Amino acid sequence: MSVKELDQTYLAPAYARQDVVLTHGEGAELFDDQGGRLIDLGSGIAVNALGVGDQAWVQAVCAQAQLLQHASNYYYTQPQARLAKLLCARSGLKRVFFSNSGAEANECAIKTARKYADDRYGEGHHTIITLENSFHGRTLTTLSATGQAAMHRHFAPFTPGFVHVRANDLKAMRDALAQHACCAVMLELVQGEGGVNVLEKAYVRAVAALAAQMDVLLVVDEVQTGVGRTGTFYAYQQYGILPDIVTGAKGLGGGLPIGATLFGEKTAAVLTPGTHGSTFGGNPICCAGALSIVSRVDETLLEGVCQRHDFIVNELQNAKGVTGITGLGLMLGIGTAKPAADVVRQCLQSGLLVLSAKDKVRLLPPLNIPLELLAEGLDILKEVIAQ
Ligand SMILES: *Cc1c(COP(=O)(O)O)cnc(C)c1O
């Protein structure tokens, strides 16, 4: 049987896969099992932050695999401790809990917010306000946090204690905070899966001030926006706020599964022994990979992200069939006259990988994609969108 036949016979049919078998790659170029070459403007959904087969990352991961692949969290290990220090330095937050995915990082944030309020105010202050159209993960609790009714079908009952309000509507947020005994507000600053919608700065600042006033925690989900994706290390650094909790995953491990929940001053001491844990969380190989990525997402690289952003916007803003562009840095949503799903499929046929989010074409290229390759990819995209 072919790979496709094996997959279609033995895997749960949970994914609507694109018609390509990927085998290997280099940087922002991928290859399929027919020898075909593809330009990658998706990075495996913002995961391969510095592209495929990045040599410094490969060496860091292989060196750690030779030393110690796993130890359990009963013991201290070096990569985890060093990565936590680096993330605190880059974020201004104080402590980190490591897990294996974005959903788990958010699950940890939710548990921490609930315990923070329980420690201080006793039972009942458990409501978490999130936004309509948000995406926070696929576990039952992070799905409860997710403000998309379509994803809630089939899976009731949900974890109680989540309220969804309209984005950029300060009155709706103020009313919800007044009506419910809340422990947290949880936001994506750029809604990724929801269609690459950028939250307004004034709104976010007002929400942060309101939450601080009420001792309600501000949780920012940076699972997709983190690690340089939006042009700053974290997106909140463009908003003039300092969250109480920040979650990250996707690009952090450069391709290996890792989640991180960062805690500020108020939340740094909330998790105590026995209240939370993870077998694989903080795995030495994943942390070694993350160290290699995070240490290279520096000012120079971030400037490059902003340059590439400008280049893409310049190329696409007046292109035929483009109806609008949203997003920050290298997280972009392209409105198109034809359906986004058709654009994704036709780009693949022309040797280009792009993603979609709701009704938009979504671009999440490697942060260091060479400009020539980016230009080549955009030429294909423009041609497909114009047809
Ligand atoms: C992808 C994503 C998640 C879920 O991450 P997983 O690793 O798939 O569990 C959560 N929040 C945001 C903003 C995401 O983009």
Side-chain angles (χ1 to χ4, degrees):
M1 280 203 251
S2 69
V3 171
K4 217 168 116 180
E5 286 165 340
L6 281 170
D7 185 304
Q8 289 173 356
T9 306
Y10 293 110
L11 277 148
Y15 298 105
R17 296 204 201 278
Q18 297 292 325
D19 188 16
V20 64
V21 179
L22 298 173
T23 54
H24 62 289
E26 195 180 332
E29 287 175 287
L30 295 175
F31 298 92
D32 67 21
D33 63 347
Q34 312 291 305
R37 164 191 178 262
L38 300 138
I39 297 173
D40 180 18
L41 300 186
S43 308
I45 322 185
V47 168
N48 297 327
L50 300 183
V52 172
D54 170 75
Q55 276 309 300
W57 176 87
V58 169
Q59 278 168 24
V61 165
C62 290
Q64 185 57 45
Q66 297 280 358
L67 287 173
L68 180 70
Q69 79 271 34
H70 172 79
S72 110
N73 282 305
Y74 285 129
Y75 313 105
Y76 296 103
T77 52
Q78 194 195 63
Q80 194 177 136
R82 286 180 54 210
L83 179 61
K85 179 180 182 222
L86 197 53
L87 289 176
C88 287
R90 298 308 300 266
S91 66
L93 276 71
K94 302 295 177 195
R95 287 179 187 266
V96 185
F97 182 90
F98 288 116
S99 52
N100 312 287
S101 67
E104 280 181 79
N106 286 335
E107 187 89 21
C108 173
I110 291 163
K111 281 181 72 176
T112 304
R114 292 248 169 108
K115 184 170 182 295
Y116 173 83
D118 189 76
D119 287 348
R120 277 176 95 99
Y121 304 109
E123 270 177 45
H125 292 75
H126 58 239
T127 300
I128 297 176
I129 302 173
T130 68
L131 299 184
E132 288 172 10
N133 218 28
S134 57
F135 183 78
H136 297 294
R138 297 280 193 172
T139 63
L140 270 170
T141 293
T142 55
L143 207 49
S144 307
T146 294
Q148 299 193 45
M151 290 191 184
H152 289 174
R153 274 188 64 208
H154 315 298
F155 302 114
F158 289 95
T159 306
F162 290 92
V163 171
H164 312 295
V165 300
R166 214 150 46 125
N168 295 321
D169 181 343
L170 190 58
K171 185 182 180 303
M173 179 64 78
R174 193 179 283 124
D175 290 349
L177 281 165
Q179 272 166 30
H180 305 274
C182 295
C183 63
V185 171
M186 184 162 163
L187 310 169
E188 294 161 273
L189 298 176
V190 184
Q191 295 185 328
E193 304 305 309
V196 198
N197 311 312
V198 183
L199 291 195
E200 289 163 13
K201 288 202 168 105
Y203 168 76
V204 171
R205 287 202 195 113
V207 170
L210 205 57
Q213 208 175 34
M214 301 174 78
D215 195 24
V216 166
L217 299 175
L218 179 64
V219 180
V220 175
D221 178 346
E222 296 251 13
V223 169
Q224 194 160 150
T225 51
V227 197
R229 177 56 55 189
T230 67
T232 45
F233 192 84
Y234 286 113
Y236 72 78
Q237 292 162 334
Q238 295 174 49
Y239 280 78
I241 57 165
L242 185 63
D244 299 298
I245 301 178
V246 173
T247 60
K250 290 197 167 85
L252 183 56
L256 288 173
I258 182 170
T261 309
L262 278 61
F263 305 114
E265 206 80 67
K266 278 187 180 181
T267 52
V270 172
L271 293 182
T272 50
T275 55
H276 198 47
S278 168
T279 299
F280 286 116
N283 170 276
I285 297 175
C286 299
C287 287
L291 269 167
S292 164
I293 299 295
V294 172
S295 60
R296 283 180 292 148
V297 178
D298 56 11
E299 285 313 309
T300 311
L301 191 113
L302 293 172
E303 266 166 43
V305 169
C306 297
Q307 274 163 15
R308 287 163 177 79
H309 167 97
D310 293 346
F311 180 75
I312 295 172
V313 171
N314 262 321
E315 287 287 306
L316 296 183
Q317 63 187 352
N318 298 316
K320 189 173 167 221
V322 171
T323 57
I325 303 177
T326 60
L328 295 175
L330 288 177
M331 180 172 179
L332 291 164
I334 315 298
T336 52
K338 69 160 104 165
D342 293 353
V343 175
V344 171
R345 195 167 19 83
Q346 288 164 17
C347 281
L348 173 61
Q349 286 161 1
S350 305
L352 178 71
L353 295 184
V354 295
L355 303 163
S356 64
K358 288 275 150 45
D359 58 348
K360 291 186 193 133
V361 175
R362 178 170 43 156
L363 305 183
L364 297 164
L367 304 180
N368 59 354
I369 184 172
L371 274 177
E372 317 80 72
L373 215 52
L374 182 57
E376 197 185 331
L378 292 177
D379 283 344
I380 298 171
L381 181 61
K382 280 191 286 189
E383 206 177 296
V384 166
I385 289 175
Q387 281 162 13

